[in-house]
Amino acid sequence: FEFIKNVISDAGGKVTIIDKTPVLGSPRGGEIQKWLDENPGHDRFVILDDCEDMIHLWPHLVETTWDLGLLDEHVEQAIKVINKGAEA
C-alpha cells in the first residue's frame, strides 16, 4: 500500500487505500468480485487495471496499459465512471 500511496502523493494526488483484492489465480474480475462480495456496500467504484477480463464488471473498468501506466485520459475516464455511479 505504501508504494502506491507514495506514487500518487508524489504526483500531487490524495488517496485512501482501504484494502486489496485476493489473489485467486482466477480471472482478475473474479478476484475483484470476491472482494466486492465480502465487502458489501461499494456500489460506486472504478477499476483501474491493465486486464480486460472483468466479466460483468466491465462498466467499471478503465483499462490502462502496463507500459504506459495511468495517464490523464484514464483519470478523466475514471471520474466519468464514478459520476455515472452517482446518477444510478
Side-chain angles (χ1 to χ4, degrees), residues 4 7-8 28 32 46-54 58 60-79 81:
I4 294 170
V7 168
I8 293 171
R28 185 78 178 112
I32 294 169
V46 63
I47 302 166
L48 302 169
D49 207 310
D50 62 346
C51 294
E52 52 183 41
D53 60 351
M54 296 297 155
W58 186 261
H60 298 276
L61 175 65
V62 173
E63 189 176 356
T64 59
T65 61
W66 178 254
D67 56 333
L68 297 178
L70 185 65
L71 303 174
D72 288 342
E73 66 191 56
H74 299 131
V75 174
E76 292 172 13
Q77 290 173 339
I79 291 168
V81 169

Side-chain angles (χ1 to χ4, degrees), residues 8-73:
I8 293 171
S9 177
D10 290 348
K14 294 182 182 182
V15 66
T16 301
I17 299 174
I18 59 169
D19 204 353
K20 63 181 182 175
T21 57
V23 177
L24 304 174
S26 62
R28 185 78 178 112
E31 295 171 340
I32 294 169
Q33 186 60 58
K34 181 167 176 56
W35 189 93
L36 290 167
D37 291 345
E38 293 175 353
N39 299 275
H42 297 280
D43 299 325
R44 290 178 58 195
F45 62 92
V46 63
I47 302 166
L48 302 169
D49 207 310
D50 62 346
C51 294
E52 52 183 41
D53 60 351
M54 296 297 155
I55 315 161
H56 61 288
L57 299 173
W58 186 261
H60 298 276
L61 175 65
V62 173
E63 189 176 356
T64 59
T65 61
W66 178 254
D67 56 333
L68 297 178
L70 185 65
L71 303 174
D72 288 342
E73 66 191 56

